[in-house]
Amino acid sequence: GGDIYGWLETALNFWALEGKRIGGLIHSGSFDQLGTGVSFATAVKMNNPDSNVVLICGDGAFGLAPGLPPETAFHYDAPITIVVAKNLSWGMINRQQLAIWKREYMTNLRDVPYHKIVEGMGGYGRVVEDPDDIIPAVRSSFDMKTPALIEVVTQNVISPITQGLTD
């Protein structure tokens, strides 16, 4: 998505400064915001079946994914973990509108229980409201050996990247 990518990039930079490493990173560029994350993550998992693949996206981008986004992951037994930052908003656009025009235009989203959709498909779904529960939820998803979706309830706070674009 938009603003969640800004926060993710910021977090990864801090993580790298601490000397931590990840196995790899794929970024689909401007297509992120169009709901391509699930298909990209599924392809990565199919190519790297022994890796834990985690997609981090916003609720706006996930909601744009066509049809039932994780169906291909289920069909090809590619257990990916989808972490959806849920702020009920097209956050990047919303925050830019507020900064520039002092009001928002059509950027609020419905509260869709995406985790229940994945559970209904036979996967692992969970809602997380406490930041301390994020890592245990992701670790639990790896143990399930099925596609998983974790909704993380977030605030709509402008990322440094969005702030820079707005400025």
Side-chain angles (χ1 to χ4, degrees):
D3 226 18
I4 189 57
Y5 171 72
W7 284 114
L8 177 60
E9 184 171 309
T10 301
L12 288 173
N13 285 324
F14 277 110
W15 207 18
L17 286 171
E18 295 174 357
K20 296 179 182 176
R21 303 219 182 273
I22 58 173
L25 180 67
I26 186 168
H27 183 277
S28 55
S30 57
F31 294 113
D32 284 3
Q33 300 167 16
L34 300 177
T36 60
V38 176
S39 57
F40 278 55
T42 301
V44 168
K45 180 63 175 181
M46 290 171 67
N47 231 6
N48 301 278
D50 295 330
S51 295
N52 291 322
V53 176
V54 179
L55 165 66
I56 298 174
C57 66
D59 50 351
F62 185 80
L64 270 181
L68 296 170
E71 173 53 27
T72 302
F74 279 100
H75 183 78
Y76 288 101
D77 192 28
I80 60 173
T81 297
I82 306 162
V83 177
V84 176
K86 191 170 190 175
N87 64 4
L88 303 178
S89 175
W90 288 99
M92 178 180 265
I93 298 167
N94 175 274
R95 302 311 295 172
Q96 288 173 330
Q97 288 176 347
L98 289 170
I100 296 167
W101 298 303
K102 310 295 184 240
R103 63 180 288 202
E104 58 192 53
Y105 300 91
M106 307 299 287
T107 55
N108 294 317
L109 302 173
R110 292 181 331 116
D111 188 1
V112 177
Y114 293 122
H115 70 287
K116 289 185 179 181
I117 295 170
V118 171
E119 286 176 347
M121 297 173 79
Y124 172 74
R126 184 164 169 190
V127 175
V128 171
E129 295 184 23
D130 183 339
D132 292 334
D133 294 336
I134 297 171
I135 291 173
V138 171
R139 286 190 177 134
S140 292
S141 75
F142 297 155
D143 295 338
M144 296 297 159
K145 307 290 187 215
T146 183
L149 188 138
I150 301 164
E151 290 180 51
V152 179
V153 178
T154 63
Q155 297 176 5
N156 190 4
V157 178
I158 195 166
S159 72
I161 291 175
T162 301
Q163 186 67 56
L165 292 169
T166 303
D167 291 348

